[in-house]
Amino acid sequence: MNRVGGKLNPYLSDFGINTVVKGNGAREITIWSERTAMSAADKSMTKGLKRIKEVASCLSLKEATITKACDLYKKIADSGELKGKSIDSRVATCIFMASRIVGQPKPIKKILTFANVTEKDLSKTYKKVKLLFPEY
């Protein structure tokens, strides 16, 4: 099978499939593609997922934990309930919860250090997520 491009991202609304047209004769198409490139929600999701992977590499987390944290981050973002919270506090909460779910718990202090979040912010975000998703 012949395939071109990177792998799909199930966390983005368009699965990461987008086209950017550049060149001398493509002025109108370039303008249109820049307008419709990526929504604000997708930009925020991309930043969050990238941050999860950065913190996870610092904590030496397993792939299962990273995947669970990304899934949880997607659910939180889709709910829209934590819109005012910082990306770092959402990331720290997702990593904390995912590591406990998968059975690879990490100390809160370590997560706070690498995620640049205060314990107070993590606690508030954690409580809101627990109310939203009691199954976690």
Side-chain angles (χ1 to χ4, degrees), residues 75-92:
K75 283 186 176 183
I76 290 170
D78 287 346
S79 75
E81 294 292 323
L82 298 177
K83 228 172 192 162
K85 294 289 181 186
S86 71
I87 290 176
D88 284 339
S89 67
R90 288 184 274 172
V91 164

Side-chain angles (χ1 to χ4, degrees), residues 56-103:
S57 72
C58 292
L59 293 169
S60 303
L61 295 177
K62 294 179 183 174
E63 191 62 36
T65 308
I66 297 169
T67 304
K68 194 67 170 172
C70 290
D71 291 341
L72 187 57
Y73 191 86
K74 171 75 171 155
K75 283 186 176 183
I76 290 170
D78 287 346
S79 75
E81 294 292 323
L82 298 177
K83 228 172 192 162
K85 294 289 181 186
S86 71
I87 290 176
D88 284 339
S89 67
R90 288 184 274 172
V91 164
T93 302
C94 290
I95 289 175
F96 176 70
M97 293 178 79
S99 64
R100 290 179 63 191
I101 291 167
V102 173

Side-chain angles (χ1 to χ4, degrees), residues 5-130:
K7 64 182 186 175
L8 299 178
N9 188 345
Y11 302 109
L12 299 178
S13 61
D14 65 352
F15 294 100
I17 301 172
N18 53 13
T19 303
V20 178
V21 179
K22 302 233 176 192
N24 295 335
R27 185 170 178 264
E28 293 83 19
I29 296 173
T30 304
I31 291 170
W32 180 253
S33 69
E34 287 174 358
R35 284 184 193 158
T36 61
M38 198 180 253
S39 68
D42 283 345
K43 286 179 186 176
S44 176
M45 179 63 66
T46 304
K47 285 181 187 176
L49 296 176
K50 182 178 176 188
R51 189 75 178 116
I52 285 174
K53 290 176 182 166
E54 288 171 359
V55 174
S57 72
C58 292
L59 293 169
S60 303
L61 295 177
K62 294 179 183 174
E63 191 62 36
T65 308
I66 297 169
T67 304
K68 194 67 170 172
C70 290
D71 291 341
L72 187 57
Y73 191 86
K74 171 75 171 155
K75 283 186 176 183
I76 290 170
D78 287 346
S79 75
E81 294 292 323
L82 298 177
K83 228 172 192 162
K85 294 289 181 186
S86 71
I87 290 176
D88 284 339
S89 67
R90 288 184 274 172
V91 164
T93 302
C94 290
I95 289 175
F96 176 70
M97 293 178 79
S99 64
R100 290 179 63 191
I101 291 167
V102 173
Q104 185 189 11
K106 292 290 180 183
I108 292 177
K109 299 285 185 192
K110 268 188 151 181
I111 295 172
L112 296 175
T113 302
F114 291 117
N116 299 324
V117 178
T118 64
E119 192 168 352
K120 185 177 178 180
D121 286 340
L122 177 69
S123 175
K124 285 181 178 180
T125 309
Y126 178 76
K127 286 176 186 174
K128 285 189 176 183
V129 171
K130 275 306 248 186

